[in-house]
Amino acid sequence: DQSGNSRNATQGTASSQPTLVSNALNGKPALSFDGVNDFMTFTFPVNGLTGMTLVLVGANSADKNGGSTNAESSAIFWNETSSWGTVYLSPYQTNVKFRFGTGQTGNVPSYTRPTSIGSGFSISVATKNGTTDSLYVNGNLAVSQSGKLSTIAVSQSTGNLGRGYNNNTYFPGRIAEVLVYNRALSDSERQGVQAYLNSKY
């Protein structure tokens, strides 16, 4: 964690550690998750937030769709303590799934890409701004849904990288960068993050 908040993602079991790829994208490194048992965890309580932003630079090596819950094989994921409480963002080859879990039944926002990106990297930004949830893909607005419950609730405080629903479904692919904000970024802030990531990767 480079934010200064010491929310470091760790994995103490060697067989479940992702592999560091030193030159994965534009000369920059990424973590490679095998989709079998690789994952990392970090502590980041999200309950009570009325705004949140998830940013992920990643690539999916085997196309997934999130399964029946939309939250399986997630790239970044918080499990639930009650129904409809999961928080996740998963950029797959043909679709992107995300949720800010509030306990709201039927809250399953998703985006189908025009064409598959295969194992290529993309930049995904999911934002919760009160009652509106939005998704930006490579800087472009892909989904915006209003009428959401305003407060994240019934979510666990442990975040996961490379592991999804029920803690036994795993993300196959590479993750180069993750940014998590405990508020909704403004349009100008989000555009600034996008420009930074475009320049870097």
Side-chain angles (χ1 to χ4, degrees):
D1 179 13
Q2 298 181 9
S3 72
N5 293 313
S6 298
R7 301 189 187 279
N8 300 308
T10 62
Q11 174 54 265
T13 301
S15 61
S16 292
Q17 292 173 354
T19 302
L20 179 65
V21 180
S22 60
N23 185 8
L25 183 61
N26 194 32
K28 303 296 191 299
L31 290 177
S32 179
F33 294 80
D34 64 6
V36 177
N37 62 359
D38 289 357
F39 72 99
M40 304 177 79
T41 60
F42 59 96
T43 301
F44 194 117
V46 296
N47 286 337
L49 296 179
T50 58
M52 189 175 184
T53 304
L54 300 173
V55 183
L56 194 140
V57 181
N60 192 210
S61 59
D63 197 22
K64 299 291 183 176
N65 61 15
S68 60
T69 65
N70 274 15
E72 295 177 9
S73 306
S74 296
I76 184 169
F77 171 79
W78 285 256
N79 214 337
E80 60 195 7
T81 58
S82 186
S83 297
W84 301 97
T86 54
V87 175
Y88 56 87
L89 173 61
S90 294
Y92 304 124
Q93 294 184 5
T94 58
N95 58 87
V96 183
K97 303 293 177 68
F98 72 104
R99 176 191 294 153
F100 296 99
T102 61
Q104 182 175 9
T105 302
N107 180 23
V108 284
S110 66
Y111 169 66
T112 300
R113 302 184 192 273
T115 58
S116 172
I117 63 171
S119 58
F121 280 85
S122 62
I123 301 173
S124 305
V125 181
T127 64
K128 179 170 188 59
N129 189 359
T131 59
T132 301
D133 294 351
S134 303
L135 174 71
Y136 298 84
V137 176
N138 293 330
N140 299 311
L141 179 63
V143 175
S144 181
Q145 296 182 355
S146 58
K148 305 297 184 182
L149 294 179
S150 62
T151 306
I152 296 173
V154 295
S155 299
Q156 295 183 7
S157 296
T158 298
N160 298 265
L161 295 179
R163 181 170 71 168
Y165 193 68
N166 284 337
N167 290 340
N168 61 3
T169 61
Y170 299 91
F171 178 79
R174 296 180 176 186
I175 298 175
E177 189 153 345
V178 177
L179 302 170
V180 180
Y181 300 89
N182 61 1
R183 61 181 179 86
L185 296 185
S186 67
D187 285 342
S188 61
E189 288 174 327
R190 176 184 51 77
Q191 290 164 359
V193 169
Q194 181 76 38
Y196 156 75
L197 294 174
N198 281 337
S199 175
K200 182 175 182 179
Y201 294 107

